[in-house]
Amino acid sequence: MTKRLGDPLFNAVTLLIIGGALAAIIYPLYFILIASVSDPDQVNTGQVWFWPSGVTFDGYRRILSDPTVWQGLANSVTYTALGTVLSVALVLAGGYALSRHDLPGRNVILLLIVVTLFFDGGLVPRYLVVRDLGLLDTVWAMILPNAVTVWNLVIARVYFESNIPASLREAASLDGASDLRFFFRIALPLAKPLLAVMALIHLVWNWNAFFDALIFLTDDSKYPLQLVLRNILVQNEVTASGNLVGDLAGYAEQQRMAGLIKYAMIVFAAAPLLLVFPFLQKYFVKGMLIGAVK
């Protein structure tokens, strides 16, 4: 009897907590969306809560009418595609190699890799390495420095070690399969959840990357979308500050436009990832369990 009375109460409390967590996560995204098409004055005065007010698309028009935005979008797609493919290939290959107990010097290699999780050279040595390799102001400056993440490499190693038994490799070897053939024909097909989660992690990382562009790139035509949008917002705010003296009406209009651009650029930059995530979500959940087990 106590169990029957307790279950509905437990379920109600659980649903209440989950509902509150979902609202705390989803509402900020929804607010940014409606704020991007609402009158900034009404947003700033707290009149926009659940529905757009004073609907306007001036922020999106300002962004989409700038040719540098489309150039930045093309650059981001290029950096994201190349970076994701290279990173996933290196992480999966490295993780599989480190999962093999017959790899010579395996423990030493693992130790050297794990040490980098705790000690980092810093920004200056990183810049000097990129400069000495001749990568400054090139596409590869956005791709190679972050090609391999140690944490993801460790997760990949654990996945292969836990899900690809040595007996399977021995059976394939008896059938004449080489190490490369086993990796491509057997190990990788069994690692689809790992492949999907690594692709999603590196996709998000490369798409949102802007700091490396700020440090390593000097040519505006090579800037990724995030840096282009940042520059548009900064330029608009600087223009507004210049209009503050002697032109209050112009200053107010520039401030209004800056508010619209701020929310519109968040939506514009996040939309591609939001469209891709549902297709990889089930694999992402499986992949996160790998990290939990580790």
Side-chain angles (χ1 to χ4, degrees), residues 15 31 108 157 159 192 210 216 265 287:
L15 291 175
F31 177 79
V108 176
R157 180 191 71 85
Y159 181 90
K192 287 182 180 179
F210 77 95
F216 300 136
M265 68 171 53

Side-chain angles (χ1 to χ4, degrees), residues 30-277:
Y30 175 71
F31 177 79
I32 291 173
L33 179 62
I34 62 176
S36 68
V37 295
S38 298
D39 185 348
D41 295 333
Q42 299 187 33
V43 174
N44 294 333
T45 56
Q47 299 180 43
V48 176
W49 285 90
F50 297 105
W51 304 105
S53 181
V55 176
T56 176
F57 295 95
D58 290 344
Y60 291 101
R61 291 193 188 98
R62 170 67 178 86
I63 292 175
L64 298 179
S65 63
D66 193 328
T68 61
V69 170
W70 298 105
Q71 181 65 49
L73 179 61
N75 291 338
S76 285
V77 170
T78 301
Y79 300 151
T80 301
L82 291 176
T84 300
V85 171
L86 180 63
S87 295
V88 171
L90 292 176
V91 167
L92 292 181
Y96 173 74
L98 292 173
S99 71
R100 295 280 297 266
H101 292 276
D102 56 345
L103 176 68
R106 174 176 177 267
N107 292 332
V108 176
I109 296 173
L110 278 173
L111 177 62
L112 294 176
I113 290 175
V114 172
V115 164
T116 62
L117 284 172
F118 304 97
F119 301 97
D120 183 81
L123 180 60
V124 174
R126 181 186 180 89
Y127 178 85
L128 294 177
V129 169
V130 173
R131 185 199 64 183
D132 293 343
L133 291 175
L135 300 178
L136 288 180
D137 208 26
T138 66
V139 173
W140 301 110
M142 293 292 296
I143 297 173
L144 293 181
N146 297 306
V148 178
T149 304
V150 175
W151 183 257
N152 294 335
L153 187 65
V154 172
I155 290 177
R157 180 191 71 85
V158 172
Y159 181 90
F160 284 117
E161 198 169 20
S162 304
N163 294 274
I164 311 296
S167 57
L168 182 61
R169 188 174 67 253
E170 293 172 359
S173 178
L174 291 176
D175 289 336
S178 63
D179 287 334
L180 284 177
R181 186 180 180 87
F182 176 80
F183 176 69
F184 286 107
R185 299 295 297 273
I186 298 177
L188 278 186
L190 293 176
K192 287 182 180 179
L194 177 67
L195 177 62
V197 74
M198 288 300 161
L200 183 59
I201 289 174
H202 288 96
L203 186 73
V204 173
W205 172 269
N206 287 290
W207 181 262
N208 291 326
F210 77 95
F211 186 72
D212 284 352
L214 197 63
I215 301 300
F216 300 136
L217 301 181
T218 57
D219 187 355
D220 295 356
S221 64
K222 294 186 175 70
Y223 284 173
L225 177 63
Q226 284 69 23
L227 192 54
V228 170
L229 295 177
R230 169 191 173 274
N231 290 343
I232 292 175
L233 182 60
V234 171
Q235 180 183 4
N236 200 79
E237 291 179 346
V238 170
T239 303
S241 299
N243 291 335
L244 178 59
V245 180
D247 188 5
L248 293 179
Y251 173 75
E253 179 60 26
Q254 289 294 335
Q255 285 292 98
R256 176 180 177 277
M257 182 58 67
L260 283 171
I261 291 175
K262 177 176 63 177
Y263 291 114
M265 68 171 53
I266 295 175
V267 175
F268 186 77
L273 295 182
L274 294 176
L275 294 175
V276 170
F277 182 78

